[in-house]
Protein backbone atom coordinates (compact mmCIF):
# COMPACT_ATOMS: atom_id res chain seq x y z
CA UNK A 1 0.00 0.00 0.00
CA UNK A 2 3.00 2.25 0.63
CA UNK A 3 4.08 1.89 -2.97
CA UNK A 4 0.56 2.69 -4.19
CA UNK A 5 0.43 5.80 -2.00
CA UNK A 6 3.81 6.96 -3.31
CA UNK A 7 2.67 6.46 -6.89
CA UNK A 8 -0.55 8.38 -6.17
CA UNK A 9 1.40 11.28 -4.66
CA UNK A 10 3.82 11.28 -7.60
CA UNK A 11 0.94 11.37 -10.10
CA UNK A 12 -0.74 14.17 -8.14
CA UNK A 13 2.49 16.19 -8.00
CA UNK A 14 3.04 15.68 -11.73
CA UNK A 15 -0.49 16.87 -12.38
CA UNK A 16 0.06 19.99 -10.27
CA UNK A 17 3.36 20.68 -12.03
CA UNK A 18 1.60 20.51 -15.38
CA UNK A 19 -1.25 22.69 -14.09
CA UNK A 20 1.05 25.48 -12.89
CA UNK A 21 3.17 25.23 -16.04
CA UNK A 22 0.03 25.83 -18.08
CA UNK A 23 -0.97 28.71 -15.80
CA UNK A 24 2.49 30.24 -16.28
CA UNK A 25 2.25 29.90 -20.07
CA UNK A 26 -1.27 31.37 -19.97
CA UNK A 27 0.04 34.45 -18.13
CA UNK A 28 2.97 34.78 -20.56
CA UNK A 29 0.62 34.59 -23.56
CA UNK A 30 -1.60 37.23 -21.94
CA UNK A 31 1.41 39.51 -21.32
CA UNK A 32 2.74 39.22 -24.88
CA UNK A 33 -0.74 39.83 -26.23
CA UNK A 34 -1.23 43.01 -24.20
CA UNK A 35 2.35 44.28 -24.54
CA UNK A 36 2.49 43.63 -28.28
CA UNK A 37 -0.83 45.36 -28.73
CA UNK A 38 0.52 48.50 -27.05
CA UNK A 39 3.51 48.37 -29.39
CA UNK A 40 1.14 48.30 -32.36
CA UNK A 41 -0.75 51.27 -30.87
CA UNK A 42 2.39 53.39 -30.45
CA UNK A 43 3.87 52.48 -33.83
CA UNK A 44 0.57 53.23 -35.55
CA UNK A 45 0.88 56.86 -34.46
CA UNK A 46 4.03 57.23 -36.55
CA UNK A 47 2.46 55.43 -39.50
CA UNK A 48 -0.24 58.11 -39.63
CA UNK A 49 2.11 61.11 -39.46
CA UNK A 50 1.88 62.94 -42.79
CA UNK A 51 4.93 65.09 -41.88
CA UNK A 52 7.27 62.08 -42.04
CA UNK A 53 8.85 60.88 -45.30
CA UNK A 54 6.93 58.09 -46.96
CA UNK A 55 9.87 55.67 -46.66
CA UNK A 56 9.99 56.29 -42.90
CA UNK A 57 6.27 55.69 -42.52
CA UNK A 58 6.52 52.47 -44.51
CA UNK A 59 9.28 51.29 -42.15
CA UNK A 60 7.00 51.96 -39.19
CA UNK A 61 4.19 50.07 -40.95
CA UNK A 62 6.52 47.11 -41.50
CA UNK A 63 7.56 47.24 -37.82
CA UNK A 64 3.88 47.37 -36.82
CA UNK A 65 3.13 44.22 -38.78
CA UNK A 66 6.08 42.43 -37.17
CA UNK A 67 5.05 43.49 -33.65
CA UNK A 68 1.44 42.49 -34.34
CA UNK A 69 2.39 38.82 -34.74
CA UNK A 70 2.83 38.56 -30.94
CA UNK A 71 -0.73 39.55 -29.98
CA UNK A 72 -2.09 37.53 -32.91
CA UNK A 73 -0.28 34.47 -31.57
CA UNK A 74 -1.25 35.17 -27.95
CA UNK A 75 -4.93 35.53 -28.71
CA UNK A 76 -4.91 32.04 -30.28
CA UNK A 77 -2.88 30.36 -27.53
CA UNK A 78 -4.94 31.78 -24.66
CA UNK A 79 -8.12 29.70 -25.20
CA UNK A 80 -6.08 26.55 -25.86
CA UNK A 81 -4.19 26.90 -22.58
CA UNK A 82 -7.24 28.22 -20.74
CA UNK A 83 -9.48 25.32 -21.73
CA UNK A 84 -6.88 22.79 -20.59
CA UNK A 85 -6.48 24.61 -17.26
CA UNK A 86 -10.26 24.79 -16.82
CA UNK A 87 -10.59 21.07 -17.54
CA UNK A 88 -7.91 20.28 -14.94
CA UNK A 89 -9.84 22.44 -12.44
CA UNK A 90 -13.03 20.57 -13.37
CA UNK A 91 -14.50 23.95 -14.28
CA UNK A 92 -15.64 22.69 -17.68
CA UNK A 93 -16.75 19.38 -19.09
CA UNK A 94 -14.16 18.50 -21.73
CA UNK A 95 -13.62 14.82 -22.65
CA UNK A 96 -10.18 13.52 -23.62
CA UNK A 97 -10.98 13.68 -27.33
CA UNK A 98 -12.10 17.27 -26.80
CA UNK A 99 -8.78 18.20 -25.19
CA UNK A 100 -6.91 16.63 -28.10
CA UNK A 101 -9.11 18.48 -30.59
CA UNK A 102 -8.41 21.80 -28.81
CA UNK A 103 -4.64 21.27 -28.92
CA UNK A 104 -4.59 20.12 -32.54
CA UNK A 105 -6.94 22.90 -33.60
CA UNK A 106 -4.87 25.47 -31.70
CA UNK A 107 -1.63 24.25 -33.30
CA UNK A 108 -3.21 24.45 -36.77
CA UNK A 109 -4.55 27.95 -36.05
CA UNK A 110 -1.13 29.20 -34.85
CA UNK A 111 0.43 27.76 -38.02
CA UNK A 112 -2.13 29.68 -40.12
CA UNK A 113 -1.45 32.92 -38.21
CA UNK A 114 2.29 32.59 -38.81
CA UNK A 115 1.67 31.59 -42.42
CA UNK A 116 -0.26 34.84 -42.93
CA UNK A 117 2.67 36.74 -41.40
CA UNK A 118 5.39 34.95 -43.38
CA UNK A 119 3.52 35.10 -46.70
CA UNK A 120 1.90 38.53 -46.33
CA UNK A 121 1.42 40.29 -49.63
CA UNK A 122 1.28 37.01 -51.59
CA UNK A 123 -1.74 35.07 -52.90
CA UNK A 124 -1.03 32.29 -50.36
CA UNK A 125 -0.93 34.83 -47.54
CA UNK A 126 -4.26 36.27 -48.66
CA UNK A 127 -5.87 32.81 -48.74
CA UNK A 128 -4.52 31.97 -45.29
CA UNK A 129 -5.81 35.29 -43.98
CA UNK A 130 -9.30 34.50 -45.25
CA UNK A 131 -9.10 31.13 -43.46
CA UNK A 132 -7.91 32.87 -40.28
CA UNK A 133 -10.81 35.34 -40.38
CA UNK A 134 -13.29 32.52 -41.02
CA UNK A 135 -11.90 30.60 -38.02
CA UNK A 136 -12.37 33.65 -35.81
CA UNK A 137 -16.01 33.96 -36.82
CA UNK A 138 -16.54 30.25 -36.10
CA UNK A 139 -14.84 30.53 -32.68
CA UNK A 140 -16.85 33.68 -31.85
CA UNK A 141 -20.14 31.95 -32.69
CA UNK A 142 -19.26 28.77 -30.78
CA UNK A 143 -18.06 30.55 -27.63
CA UNK A 144 -21.02 32.93 -27.56
CA UNK A 145 -23.39 29.95 -27.64
CA UNK A 146 -21.45 27.96 -25.02
CA UNK A 147 -20.84 30.96 -22.73
CA UNK A 148 -24.44 32.20 -22.86
CA UNK A 149 -25.86 28.70 -22.42
CA UNK A 150 -23.63 28.10 -19.41
CA UNK A 151 -24.60 31.42 -17.82
CA UNK A 152 -28.35 31.00 -18.10
CA UNK A 153 -28.60 27.21 -17.78
CA UNK A 154 -26.46 24.21 -16.95
CA UNK A 155 -24.05 24.21 -19.88
CA UNK A 156 -20.65 22.55 -20.24
CA UNK A 157 -18.94 25.40 -18.36
CA UNK A 158 -19.53 24.71 -14.65
CA UNK A 159 -18.28 28.04 -13.21
CA UNK A 160 -20.13 31.23 -14.13
CA UNK A 161 -17.03 33.46 -14.10
CA UNK A 162 -15.46 31.22 -16.72
CA UNK A 163 -18.59 31.34 -18.88
CA UNK A 164 -18.40 35.15 -18.65
CA UNK A 165 -14.75 34.97 -19.78
CA UNK A 166 -15.92 33.09 -22.87
CA UNK A 167 -18.05 36.10 -23.74
CA UNK A 168 -15.38 38.73 -23.03
CA UNK A 169 -12.91 36.74 -25.13
CA UNK A 170 -15.34 36.69 -28.05
CA UNK A 171 -15.71 40.47 -27.70
CA UNK A 172 -11.93 40.78 -27.95
CA UNK A 173 -11.87 38.60 -31.06
CA UNK A 174 -14.56 40.77 -32.62
CA UNK A 175 -12.68 44.00 -31.83
CA UNK A 176 -9.53 42.40 -33.21
CA UNK A 177 -11.31 41.80 -36.51
CA UNK A 178 -12.41 45.44 -36.50
CA UNK A 179 -8.83 46.64 -35.87
CA UNK A 180 -7.60 44.38 -38.66
CA UNK A 181 -9.89 46.25 -41.07
CA UNK A 182 -8.21 49.48 -39.89
CA UNK A 183 -4.75 48.12 -40.75
CA UNK A 184 -6.07 46.99 -44.14
CA UNK A 185 -7.28 50.55 -44.79
CA UNK A 186 -3.76 51.81 -44.02
CA UNK A 187 -2.31 49.43 -46.57
CA UNK A 188 -4.74 50.69 -49.20
CA UNK A 189 -3.81 54.29 -48.35
CA UNK A 190 -0.09 53.61 -48.62
CA UNK A 191 -0.46 51.85 -51.95
CA UNK A 192 -2.10 55.05 -53.19
CA UNK A 193 0.63 57.24 -51.63
CA UNK A 194 3.35 55.27 -53.39
CA UNK A 195 1.92 56.53 -56.67
CA UNK A 196 2.27 60.11 -55.46
CA UNK A 197 0.94 62.61 -52.84
CA UNK A 198 -2.77 62.07 -52.20
CA UNK A 199 -5.06 63.91 -49.81
CA UNK A 200 -7.65 61.14 -50.00
CA UNK A 201 -5.03 58.56 -48.96
CA UNK A 202 -3.92 60.76 -46.05
CA UNK A 203 -7.53 61.14 -44.92
CA UNK A 204 -8.00 57.36 -45.13
CA UNK A 205 -4.92 56.77 -42.97
CA UNK A 206 -5.85 59.52 -40.46
CA UNK A 207 -9.38 58.16 -40.14
CA UNK A 208 -7.93 54.69 -39.63
CA UNK A 209 -5.72 55.81 -36.74
CA UNK A 210 -8.70 57.52 -35.07
CA UNK A 211 -10.83 54.40 -35.39
CA UNK A 212 -7.93 52.24 -34.26
CA UNK A 213 -7.31 54.27 -31.11
CA UNK A 214 -10.96 54.11 -30.07
CA UNK A 215 -10.98 50.37 -30.70
CA UNK A 216 -7.72 49.92 -28.77
CA UNK A 217 -9.04 51.65 -25.64
CA UNK A 218 -12.17 49.49 -25.67
CA UNK A 219 -9.98 46.45 -26.28
CA UNK A 220 -7.82 47.19 -23.22
CA UNK A 221 -10.86 47.82 -21.03
CA UNK A 222 -12.27 44.39 -21.92
CA UNK A 223 -8.84 42.80 -21.39
CA UNK A 224 -8.84 44.29 -17.88
CA UNK A 225 -12.33 42.87 -17.26
CA UNK A 226 -11.22 39.47 -18.55
CA UNK A 227 -8.20 39.48 -16.24
CA UNK A 228 -10.41 40.48 -13.30
CA UNK A 229 -12.79 37.60 -13.96
CA UNK A 230 -9.92 35.15 -14.07
CA UNK A 231 -8.24 36.39 -10.89
CA UNK A 232 -11.21 37.36 -8.69
CA UNK A 233 -13.67 34.70 -9.89
CA UNK A 234 -16.48 36.92 -8.56
CA UNK A 235 -19.37 34.51 -9.24
Amino acid sequence: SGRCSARTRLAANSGMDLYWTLVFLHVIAFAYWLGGDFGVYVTGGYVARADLPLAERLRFLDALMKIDILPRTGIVLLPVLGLQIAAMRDAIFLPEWGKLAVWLGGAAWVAIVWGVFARRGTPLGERLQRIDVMLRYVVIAALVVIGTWSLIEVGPVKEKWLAAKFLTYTALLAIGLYLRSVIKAWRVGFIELQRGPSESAERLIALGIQRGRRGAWLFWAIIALTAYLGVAKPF
Side-chain angles (χ1 to χ4, degrees), residues 90-103:
D90 196 31
I92 185 173
F93 172 72
L94 191 64
E96 292 302 319
W97 64 265
K99 296 174 188 176
L100 179 61
V102 167
W103 282 103

Side-chain angles (χ1 to χ4, degrees), residues 131-219:
I131 294 171
D132 181 31
V133 170
M134 179 185 68
L135 282 173
R136 290 168 194 264
Y137 280 118
V138 170
V139 170
I140 287 171
L143 293 186
V144 165
V145 170
I146 294 171
T148 304
W149 176 26
S150 299
L151 277 174
I152 63 178
E153 294 185 15
V154 183
V157 182
K158 302 176 184 179
E159 298 184 8
K160 299 298 185 183
W161 63 269
L162 182 59
K165 279 188 71 176
F166 274 43
L167 299 180
T168 58
Y169 176 77
T170 59
L172 293 170
L173 276 181
I175 297 171
L177 288 172
Y178 166 77
L179 293 175
R180 186 173 294 193
S181 70
V182 170
I183 294 176
K184 185 176 181 180
W186 289 349
R187 291 173 60 188
V188 172
F190 277 108
I191 289 171
E192 188 174 338
L193 282 177
Q194 287 175 312
R195 302 191 189 104
S198 169
E199 290 186 8
S200 63
E202 292 293 0
R203 284 196 299 271
L204 182 64
I205 294 168
L207 178 61
I209 194 65
Q210 292 175 7
R211 292 169 57 201
R213 283 174 174 167
R214 289 194 294 267
W217 283 105
L218 178 60
F219 196 83

Side-chain angles (χ1 to χ4, degrees), residues 10-212:
L10 180 60
N13 289 336
S14 298
M16 287 304 294
D17 289 342
L18 175 60
Y19 176 84
W20 289 114
T21 299
L22 292 172
V23 170
F24 168 75
L25 292 174
H26 193 268
V27 172
I28 290 294
F30 199 87
Y32 275 102
W33 177 20
L34 183 57
D37 211 59
F38 184 71
V40 170
Y41 178 87
V42 172
T43 309
Y46 292 97
V47 171
R49 282 182 54 176
D51 61 313
L52 293 177
L54 179 60
E56 189 74 6
R57 296 168 73 185
L58 287 172
R59 279 194 288 271
F60 275 114
L61 181 60
D62 183 62
L64 182 150
M65 299 302 293
K66 290 176 179 176
I67 295 170
D68 193 41
I69 190 60
L70 291 177
R72 289 193 185 198
T73 304
I75 201 170
V76 173
L77 290 176
L78 279 169
V80 176
L81 295 165
L83 285 170
Q84 180 67 46
I85 292 167
M88 295 178 75
R89 285 174 48 90
D90 196 31
I92 185 173
F93 172 72
L94 191 64
E96 292 302 319
W97 64 265
K99 296 174 188 176
L100 179 61
V102 167
W103 282 103
L104 292 177
W109 195 0
V110 168
I112 290 169
V113 167
W114 277 86
V116 171
F117 172 72
R119 299 293 183 178
R120 62 190 184 279
T122 68
L124 176 59
E126 295 297 326
R127 286 196 297 272
L128 290 174
Q129 181 152 336
R130 287 193 292 271
I131 294 171
D132 181 31
V133 170
M134 179 185 68
L135 282 173
R136 290 168 194 264
Y137 280 118
V138 170
V139 170
I140 287 171
L143 293 186
V144 165
V145 170
I146 294 171
T148 304
W149 176 26
S150 299
L151 277 174
I152 63 178
E153 294 185 15
V154 183
V157 182
K158 302 176 184 179
E159 298 184 8
K160 299 298 185 183
W161 63 269
L162 182 59
K165 279 188 71 176
F166 274 43
L167 299 180
T168 58
Y169 176 77
T170 59
L172 293 170
L173 276 181
I175 297 171
L177 288 172
Y178 166 77
L179 293 175
R180 186 173 294 193
S181 70
V182 170
I183 294 176
K184 185 176 181 180
W186 289 349
R187 291 173 60 188
V188 172
F190 277 108
I191 289 171
E192 188 174 338
L193 282 177
Q194 287 175 312
R195 302 191 189 104
S198 169
E199 290 186 8
S200 63
E202 292 293 0
R203 284 196 299 271
L204 182 64
I205 294 168
L207 178 61
I209 194 65
Q210 292 175 7
R211 292 169 57 201

